[in-house]
Amino acid sequence: MFERFTREARDVVVLAQEVAREVGARSVDARHVLLCLVESRGPARNGLESVGIAVAAFAERLRNEVAQGGLDAGALASVGIDLDAVRARADAVFGEGALDQAGGRRRSGHLPFSPDAKKVLELALREAIRLHVNRIDSAMLLLGVLRSTGSPAESVLRSALAECGSSVADLRTALEKPAAEAS
Amino acid sequence: MSDTWLLAAGDDPHEGLRAVRAVRELADRLEYLQVERARGLGWSWQEVADALGVTKQAVHKKYGRRI
């Protein structure tokens, strides 16, 4: 599958692995991929900027979110659990950083892709086929994120779009257009 | 707080399932930390198992090699 990826898209996937490892995640999930897309320099970032996303701020927000050590603060808040409060209490009882480290030892070597990250790669391939483009670049990967409806990565991207007065449809158009012209 | 639970229980399945997964991950980590601490304080595997409402075999199988 990766032989059809552009150099930049491969770099995004490799960097997503590094980010996941840095934050002690057990697998590379779609949010790690999204973060690396936002921090990349190619068509994905251009698309985000063209619809008015402040990429630096968005990248920072994603970094904070993935730095929760694999714990999903947003989802926990939705059921009334304050992760920061739980973490502070756990740190006091079990030692600094205990809760984040309890997710598993930091792994060296290859981290597996989570089902939602695999789905994004698969959907990127499908988008490329649909748009008749030969190469999977970062724009196709971002379209894959947009198609992974309901994944944590897709929801955070969707809310960032809504916050800047844009929409999924706008971003899709911005990403599809250059791809279609280039092919 | 009960209102947010109701929302998560009846709303969009995507969000509801994501919340379930997040709660499970948090519970797993807290269980690990608590079991480790209890063992450190001299609790037997049987006492830990009783407190968790599982069999001694289950708790030993899950943590015996890690703690």
Side-chain angles (χ1 to χ4, degrees):
Chain A
M1 173 177 194
F2 292 112
E3 64 275 12
R4 294 186 57 187
F5 278 48
T6 61
R7 176 71 193 268
E8 190 214 6
R10 282 180 209 209
D11 287 348
V12 164
V13 174
V14 171
L15 283 170
Q17 284 247 352
E18 280 170 24
V19 169
R21 195 173 299 123
E22 267 168 33
V23 300
R26 295 183 214 198
S27 60
V28 184
D29 71 36
R31 290 174 313 161
H32 302 126
V33 176
L34 176 60
L35 170 61
C36 294
L37 284 169
V38 175
E39 289 185 338
S40 68
R41 303 247 160 236
R45 186 197 177 106
N46 295 343
L48 289 165
E49 279 178 332
S50 75
V51 298
I53 295 234
V55 288
F58 186 39
E60 197 188 331
R61 171 165 152 198
L62 281 166
R63 270 210 180 265
N64 286 335
E65 201 170 302
V66 300
Q68 307 279 348
L71 288 164
D72 188 340
L76 290 169
S78 82
V79 289
I81 297 172
D82 180 346
L83 180 58
D84 287 337
V86 176
R87 181 179 285 118
R89 175 90 182 121
D91 282 355
V93 177
F94 306 109
E96 187 81 25
L99 191 65
D100 291 328
Q101 282 153 25
R105 303 283 161 257
R106 292 203 171 199
R107 313 243 162 115
S108 56
H110 188 77
L111 278 182
F113 282 87
S114 71
D116 69 349
K118 281 185 193 161
K119 191 84 200 160
V120 164
L121 300 180
E122 202 182 297
L123 290 166
L125 183 65
R126 241 189 270 174
E127 288 292 296
I129 292 167
R130 186 177 67 82
L131 296 164
H132 306 292
V133 298
N134 288 324
R135 305 285 280 167
I136 295 169
D137 64 8
S138 63
M140 295 302 115
L141 287 175
L142 195 54
L143 284 169
V145 174
L146 283 177
R147 290 270 179 213
S148 66
T149 318
S151 74
E154 189 265 352
S155 359
V156 69
L157 179 55
R158 181 184 292 269
S159 53
L161 286 165
E163 278 163 29
C164 73
S166 183
S167 69
V168 169
D170 288 347
L171 180 56
R172 196 171 282 153
T173 309
L175 293 167
E176 286 177 1
K177 210 171 151 220
E181 282 164 2
S183 69
Chain B
M1 173 135 169
S2 58
D3 287 350
T4 50
W5 272 107
L6 283 174
L7 269 176
D11 218 1
D12 175 17
H14 285 306
E15 290 303 313
L17 291 168
R18 180 181 158 197
V20 168
R21 181 178 168 187
V23 170
R24 186 174 292 142
E25 175 70 31
L26 180 63
D28 283 347
R29 293 186 189 203
L30 290 170
E31 182 181 281
Y32 172 81
L33 292 169
Q34 291 290 0
V35 170
E36 185 181 47
R37 182 156 186 270
R39 288 288 294 165
L41 293 172
W43 285 42
S44 68
W45 286 114
Q46 187 62 59
E47 286 171 308
V48 172
D50 289 346
L52 286 171
V54 298
T55 64
K56 188 178 107 177
Q57 287 75 18
V59 75
H60 193 259
K61 190 176 173 202
K62 194 166 174 188
Y63 296 109
R65 270 156 43 127
R66 289 168 70 190
I67 294 173

